[in-house]
Amino acid sequence: MPGEDPHEAGQAVTGGKEDSAIGDRLAAASRRRSPRGYLARLLAGTALFLPLGCLAARAQDATVKAAVPLGTIEVIQMAVTVGVLGAALISAIALIRERQRTAAENVELRARLADANASLQRSEALLNLRDQRVVVWPADNRKPDIVGGLPIETGAPDERAAFLAFGRWLMPRSAAALENAITALREKGTSFDLVAETQAGAPLDVQGRKSAAHGIVRFVSLSDTQRNLARLKLEHQQVAAEHDTMLGLFDALKMPFWLRDRDGRLKWVNRAYWSAVEATDREAALRDGREFLGGQARDAIVSQHNQRPVFEQTLSTVIAGDRHVFSVTDVAGAEGSAGLAYDVSAADTAREEYERTVRSHADTLDQLNTAVVIFDADEKLRFYNQAFQKLWGLDTAFLGSTPDNALLLDRLRSEGKIAEQPEWRRWKESLLSAYRSVEPVEHWWHLPDGKTIRVVGNPQPKGGVTWVFENLTEKIDLESRYQTAVRVQGETLDNLAEGVAVFGPDGRLRLSNPAFATMWNLPVDATQPGIHVSLIRDLCATRAEDGPWAGFVAAVTGFDDERRDRHGQVTLEDGSTLRYAVIHLPNGQVMITFVDVTDSVNVERALKEKNDALLKSDQLKNDFVQHVSYELRSPLTNIIGFTELLSLPATGPLSIRQQEYLDHIGSSSSVLLTIVNDILDLATVDAGIMQLDISEVKVESAVAAAAELVADRLAEHTIRLGVDIATAPKSFHGDETRVRQILYNLLSNAANYAPEKSTIALTCRETAEGVEFSVHDDGPGMPPDVLDSVFRRFEPRVNGGRRRGAGLGLSIVKSFVELHGGTVRIETGENRGTTVICMFPAAPAGIRAAAE
């Protein structure tokens, strides 16, 4: 019956066996204690003793007859007979009493046997119910007996071997627990009570008990209430086991974990927690209330729990003297809260390092001339460099949409950028098989535009492929050109008039041309590759004593410590002159070249003699110009002085014609004096002795002074002067006299070419480089041939000008501007006027003694 004690059931099972044993003992006792059998045994014993007594009596009788009278023997015989009869009588009386006792025992045993049989039948009836099954293991390790059965809905098999294979019809957890419990019951006598769950989902109450001779396990199918209770008990066991497993997992984690009760006190912490708070063990951390987070952090968690149960935030705390950053997750429940902290300090550092590495990798790939594109495991575009976009000419919008590899190939095909394949689909599948490959794949593409591309697909460990598109068009072309160049150079070298010999680091000849052998008159076998330089030296020594071959040998064999190139010249015994050069090549070889400069030397000698003559002539010219200029200056000064004196009223009246002649004399003398002064200035510049008087030059006053000097010439031809100095600086550093002279020459030159009634524009402005003066006229402009020689001295050109000067004005301008460290340029063209621009540095760093 459900709820019975398995011990009682065991007694019921063993009761039947004990009753059987009782019956056997009763039968044996009945046979052993039966009066008839006892009497038979008694008589047999008496019959045995009687002959012995007779024999003893006879023996005694014989003895007595010899010693005593006959009557005495008979008395002895009678006494023996009486003794035997008395013993038989006593035995009969004892037998009668034993029989009575045995009968009473038989009645009692029969009553007990009847009770045992009734108990056995009752126990068998109880055990054969379909709500329980009992397995009995004998103490002698014989096969267990199985009694009873379980309902079909439990899924328990009826067959003996299948039932004992608990793992086949019980859940794995229940089967393992039951096997362990049965082993402990049989080996150690440990009783157990547990709830097992069948694979059909039915709970069974399993009880194990140990008797003196048997181990008994009873499986009981429960009622609905008991089943619910058992299921709850089973679930409780599972929850308890899972709870222990979870606590074990949390204790093994390297992340601090904690449980708190409703009052916020620590209830459980893992090893990482109490190690972080420097506690000796878990109990010490709980007892002392060691907190992992600071007070503000805990207050923030409590405040967050008042609004929602989950707290997730990154917090910092100090562990072992170092500050760490943790990602804290704390969940509040009805009976407390649980929290977990994950150290993200190393992760943040690793993430930042990884991001820097990825950016550096991308920047490096972006600087490569080789096209690189990366696709992920889903064949989606993840990275491309500028060389890839440039190679295929794809727009960034398309590449930014992360197309897959197949779509990219279709796009290149539709735009005609890759060659059409006979079987496009199979070709594309073959190419995309790189995503399933473990080794790099290589393809060669010959594009319609004539390019040759080497395509390498490198599979990535985490999926995806890195494609490298190496444009080998130029390389192949260069290789072809190189081979051609080698052949051309070989032919060229053989046909050079210059002698060439190349020696290796071992001092042996690598190559030479016929000109080398001809110049040194060497036999053919002496110029074969492999000949040592010392042998060639000995052969060449006959053509030039004390020649350079000793130095050649030192340079070739490495005895010359300084690997430096050298040049020289040697004269052979036949009078020819060779110019040589020793050149150290990057591969350790040494090239020696020889040029026959005999004719050049002779020509050079002649040219040098002519040059010396020209230099002397030029010096004479300069001396003559300076001398004449100085000699002309004094008479001109006197002429100008007396002309001005004659113009004064104090010298007397002059006729109109006389006045005109006097004016012509004065103007011509002034022009001539200007030319002389210009010649002297240029001579001073050429001699390198001109010094600038650097000071602060007022722009406005310098422009006004120059304009005043040319005012008469401008008024003569009704030419206006437009001055624009609005954007000019107030002053700059320079030689004020030379600046006025420069502006005067520019304005004079412009007045000579400007049309009647036109305007000359003088502009000054400040730039980043310094101060810029420009003078523009609307004259005919300069043709290119005039522009090339405009700064040459003594080359006057009319070119539409009113006067033909000495050709020194712009030369003076250029020399003085360059002395200031500035530049001069001209912007001109036919029928669009001429603009001369002079650039002065705002603050010259130094003063050059002479213009270049």
Side-chain angles (χ1 to χ4, degrees), residues 35-329:
R36 182 177 299 174
Y38 183 76
L39 181 59
R41 289 192 299 272
L42 182 61
L43 292 178
T46 305
L48 178 64
F49 284 116
L50 283 176
L52 293 174
C54 291
L55 291 175
R58 288 178 181 176
Q60 188 178 7
D61 185 36
T63 305
V64 172
K65 284 181 177 182
V68 295
L70 182 62
T72 305
I73 295 171
E74 294 177 350
V75 173
I76 294 171
Q77 292 178 346
M78 287 296 293
V80 171
T81 303
V82 172
V84 171
L85 292 175
L89 181 61
I90 293 171
S91 299
I93 294 172
L95 178 62
I96 293 171
R97 290 183 177 179
E98 179 67 20
R99 182 178 180 182
Q100 292 176 349
R101 189 178 63 80
T102 303
E105 287 181 355
N106 287 339
V107 172
E108 181 182 359
L109 290 174
R110 288 191 181 94
R112 292 178 60 185
L113 180 61
D115 292 339
N117 288 332
S119 176
L120 177 61
Q121 294 175 358
R122 184 171 64 253
S123 298
E124 289 179 350
L126 291 175
L127 291 175
N128 287 326
L129 294 176
R130 297 293 295 180
D131 61 351
Q132 64 179 341
R133 200 167 195 182
V134 180
V135 182
V136 180
W137 277 275
D140 54 0
N141 292 328
R142 289 180 298 166
K143 293 184 178 180
D145 296 327
I146 301 178
V147 183
L150 293 173
I152 298 176
E153 60 269 14
T154 61
D158 291 333
E159 198 270 328
R160 169 195 178 89
F163 183 82
L164 292 177
F166 301 123
R168 296 184 179 180
W169 58 279
L170 290 177
M171 296 299 290
R173 185 191 300 271
S174 299
L178 180 60
E179 293 285 358
N180 295 332
I182 291 175
T183 301
L185 174 69
R186 296 181 63 188
E187 295 179 356
K188 302 179 181 179
T190 305
S191 301
F192 65 87
D193 290 276
L194 57 86
V195 176
E197 183 179 7
T198 66
Q199 295 183 0
L204 298 177
D205 188 13
V206 184
Q207 303 170 355
R209 298 293 185 270
K210 180 73 173 179
S211 65
H214 301 84
I216 304 167
V217 177
R218 185 173 73 160
F219 297 83
V220 181
S221 177
L222 305 178
S223 63
D224 291 341
T225 303
Q226 292 174 329
R227 188 178 294 110
N228 293 334
L229 180 61
R231 183 172 287 107
L232 291 176
K233 184 177 180 181
L234 183 63
E235 292 177 356
H236 174 72
Q237 292 175 356
Q238 294 177 351
V239 171
E242 292 174 355
H243 179 265
D244 294 338
T245 302
M246 292 298 294
L247 289 183
L249 172 63
F250 288 137
D251 198 46
L253 290 177
K254 302 301 182 183
M255 299 175 285
F257 176 82
W258 61 89
L259 292 174
R260 297 183 186 272
D261 57 17
R262 302 179 62 180
D263 297 331
R265 291 189 297 269
L266 291 173
K267 186 167 61 176
W268 188 88
V269 296
N270 66 348
R271 178 180 297 273
Y273 184 101
W274 57 262
S275 298
V277 298
E278 300 179 357
T280 56
D281 52 22
R282 181 180 294 106
E283 288 72 18
L286 298 176
R287 182 180 62 253
D288 299 339
R290 299 283 185 90
E291 291 293 346
F292 175 74
L293 299 174
Q296 294 182 351
R298 297 198 304 275
D299 293 341
I301 294 175
V302 173
S303 176
Q304 184 70 27
H305 283 166
N306 293 332
Q307 301 176 4
R308 57 191 182 93
V310 180
F311 173 85
E312 290 180 320
Q313 193 172 337
T314 300
L315 303 173
S316 63
T317 187
V318 177
I319 297 178
D322 297 327
R323 181 164 296 277
H324 293 254
V325 179
F326 287 84
S327 176
V328 179
T329 302

Side-chain angles (χ1 to χ4, degrees), residues 742-807:
I742 291 170
L743 296 178
Y744 171 74
N745 286 348
L746 292 177
L747 292 176
S748 298
N749 186 71
N752 191 35
Y753 292 97
E756 298 274 347
K757 300 181 180 179
S758 63
T759 301
I760 296 175
L762 171 60
T763 304
C764 179
R765 65 188 184 94
E766 185 175 14
T767 64
E769 293 79 10
V771 181
E772 180 183 277
F773 289 91
S774 64
V775 176
H776 173 78
D777 65 77
D778 296 329
M782 298 182 188
D785 58 334
V786 175
L787 186 61
D788 292 339
S789 60
V790 70
F791 292 112
R792 294 178 186 173
R793 302 174 186 177
F794 303 109
E795 291 192 10
R797 296 180 181 271
V798 179
N799 193 31
R802 298 183 180 86
R803 297 181 181 178
R804 183 181 180 90

